[in-house]
Amino acid sequence: MSIAAGVLMAGAGALCLSGAVMTKRWIAIAASTVMLLAMLDAAFLWLVPVVVWAGALLAMGLLLGIKLRFGQGPLVCGDKVLASDLSNAGSHKRLERAVTVSAALAYPATAWLLLAHGTPDPAGAVSATPDSHRVHGTATLTGSLPLILIGALAAALVVLAVLALRRRKGILATDAGGMATMLSAMLLMH
């Protein structure tokens, strides 16, 4: 992984954490903290195996999803959108829900990408595993379809960040933009 990509990933993780702190939601803060630590470790430190970070990110994504499912998120699942809900407040809640759902989906996507990248050798030494075996393992783990889906998720997060900026919702724009940047950086490293 290049230093620029690592800095971009860590910066995006810090952006996500700052957005979570602004929301004052403990689960978002915990999830963003795990994401930032995983990005710092995967980019620079290599102290924890990527499978552990992937499991932690997957767990955070599941916790965010459970929170959404049981009504602790911006909207309770199953709410019907009425004609009177087309007001600015209803529009904000739909945007907040879309950002929250997309961000929750970004955690397992990031876990998948971390597993695909594996653990690099921090010393830059030549690996004992031949290149053909590493490439084959990565191709098996991340075929074209998951990469396309993660790319679509990153694009959706960019669109949501732009929408949030247009509506002057800085916290939502920060969250969506940070997640989009992180996924994009990881996809470009792939």
Side-chain angles (χ1 to χ4, degrees):
M1 174 183 319
S2 72
I3 296 217
V7 168
L8 189 60
M9 284 172 36
L15 189 64
C16 292
L17 180 58
S18 68
V21 168
M22 287 187 277
T23 66
K24 298 178 184 171
R25 293 184 183 146
W26 71 269
I27 190 75
I29 294 169
S32 295
T33 301
V34 168
M35 176 77 78
L36 176 59
L37 292 174
M39 294 303 104
L40 287 171
D41 188 62
F44 304 113
L45 305 173
W46 307 290
L47 298 174
V48 179
V50 293
V51 72
V52 173
W53 285 124
L57 289 169
L58 185 59
M60 290 294 113
L62 289 172
L63 284 174
L64 288 170
I66 290 169
K67 180 180 171 188
L68 282 168
R69 176 68 182 120
F70 290 108
Q72 300 297 321
L75 290 176
V76 177
C77 285
D79 279 352
K80 299 204 189 265
V81 178
L82 304 174
S84 62
D85 195 27
L86 296 176
S87 67
N88 193 22
S91 176
H92 169 71
K93 287 185 179 187
R94 286 191 304 275
L95 178 63
E96 185 179 358
R97 178 145 181 98
V99 169
T100 306
V101 168
S102 298
L105 289 172
Y107 283 87
T110 304
W112 184 275
L113 288 168
L114 271 178
L115 286 173
H117 290 295
T119 305
D121 184 5
V126 175
S127 173
T129 307
D131 286 338
S132 62
H133 291 292
R134 274 188 274 136
V135 170
H136 176 70
T138 301
T140 303
L141 184 61
T142 59
S144 300
L145 184 60
L147 293 176
I148 291 168
L149 292 174
I150 292 171
L153 177 60
L157 283 162
V158 168
V159 169
L160 290 170
V162 170
L163 286 173
L165 281 174
R166 287 184 58 207
R167 293 183 184 170
R168 295 186 176 105
K169 305 295 180 193
I171 294 173
L172 292 177
T174 300
D175 197 20
M179 286 293 190
T181 303
M182 189 174 315
L183 287 175
S184 299
M186 292 184 79
L187 278 172
L188 292 175
M189 289 182 334
H190 195 63

